[in-house]
Amino acid sequence: MTIPATISRKLLVFPAIDSARLQTIQNISRHLNVVNATDKAEALLEISDADAFYGKMTPELLSRANALQWIQTPTASLEHYLFPELIAHPAQLTNMRGLFSDVIADHVLGFVITFARNLHLYRDAQSRNHWGPIGDEHAQTDFLGGPGNVTPVDLAHKHLSDCTMGIVGVGEIGREIAKRAHAFGMKLFGVDPKPTPIPDILEEIWPLDRLPELLQQSDFVVIAAPHTPSSEKLFDADMISQMSPESYLINIGRGAIVDLAALTDALLKKQIAGAALDVFEIEPLPSGHPLWAMPNVLITPHIAAASLRVPERHLQMLLENIRRFLNDEPLLNSVDKQAWC
């Protein structure tokens, strides 16, 4: 991968990356000077005239930067990356969002199908060698009469095309979730501060002030929003109380968006039907936390984005932004730092 750039630029990488990735970056252009700093002292020295930076920025490093124009984060999340001096600095910041949207969307639909078809309860029953349909433990299949009447077992199993999903945050992850839910025939609602319709799937995305309306109408509420000051503890006791008692809350966005104590209390009081959580306000979730013992709660340890495809996409995103930077082209995944003020 070579480019026609003729102006030499310096890229500082810290912490250091492996030799294979380093070589790939160095091959982009002979006009790119890559410094792969192996320790803090080297990074502090080399940042003074660096044009670009990839890695973990700190206030100390930023204070030594005299020529910095662009900072690429190695992650999509920003809550542990940003600090006041970085927000105020004129350097453009880009992140790694969008690499795992389809992977996380798959995880969400796994949660949805599990709840809709009671797969988690049947797995529990399997561990006890127990046979018994959810809805009527003693029901037996009638091969003579056929399925002519609605039974308690039927009522205990959801048909996805009869269900409604509300998506909180219809960005790249939310859009992929919507596509999959639409394929199952689900009715969709979405809220986002910057509404962008999804043609033929979600034609109208509501502003955030209609979130209570979404909560009241959704069987499955999926949080796919980023963590910003405005979204922190958005789902507090009052917000959760506006959900239907038969609805499920799914969070694959950020743990800080959901008040853990408020959600736990709502589940204990049966204010909602259940929850599926990949992210938590406290991670790891403490071993003695009540959520562990709730049969209507699904817990995965922040792995919704796990995929062998993500590392290769990660490298390609970095390479593409370096190429764009060297050619003075618009960078991908620019971050609005002021949203964190």
Side-chain angles (χ1 to χ4, degrees), residues 268-320:
L268 288 171
K269 292 178 178 177
K270 302 187 185 304
Q271 292 178 346
I272 60 175
L277 309 164
D278 185 62
V279 291
F280 299 82
E281 188 178 11
I282 303 171
E283 293 187 3
L285 184 68
S287 60
H289 198 279
L291 290 182
W292 287 111
M294 295 184 186
N296 59 338
V297 174
L298 300 176
I299 294 172
T300 54
H302 207 144
I303 49 77
S307 166
L308 56 82
R309 298 297 175 205
V310 172
E312 60 189 47
R313 295 174 182 175
H314 188 279
L315 178 58
Q316 290 306 311
M317 175 69 73
L318 176 59
L319 296 176
E320 176 60 17

Side-chain angles (χ1 to χ4, degrees), residues 7-43:
I7 300 176
S8 293
R9 301 272 179 93
K10 178 178 176 179
L11 169 66
L12 173 62
V13 178
F14 181 72
I17 59 175
D18 61 87
S19 58
R21 283 190 295 164
L22 177 62
Q23 186 62 58
T24 303
I25 293 171
Q26 291 173 328
N27 289 342
I28 291 177
S29 170
R30 61 187 177 86
H31 298 287
L32 177 65
N33 174 25
V34 184
V35 177
N36 195 33
T38 57
D39 56 40
K40 178 181 174 181
E42 183 182 8

Side-chain angles (χ1 to χ4, degrees), residues 230-260:
S230 61
S231 68
E232 188 162 327
K233 295 202 181 212
L234 175 63
F235 277 73
D236 56 11
D238 179 64
M239 192 67 75
I240 295 170
S241 71
Q242 298 182 67
M243 294 175 59
S244 163
E246 298 180 353
S247 66
Y248 296 86
L249 180 64
I250 298 173
N251 188 12
I252 47 76
R254 285 290 177 262
I257 297 175
V258 177
D259 186 314
L260 185 59

Side-chain angles (χ1 to χ4, degrees), residues 36-49:
N36 195 33
T38 57
D39 56 40
K40 178 181 174 181
E42 183 182 8
L44 288 170
L45 177 65
E46 296 290 350
I47 191 71
S48 62
D49 62 345

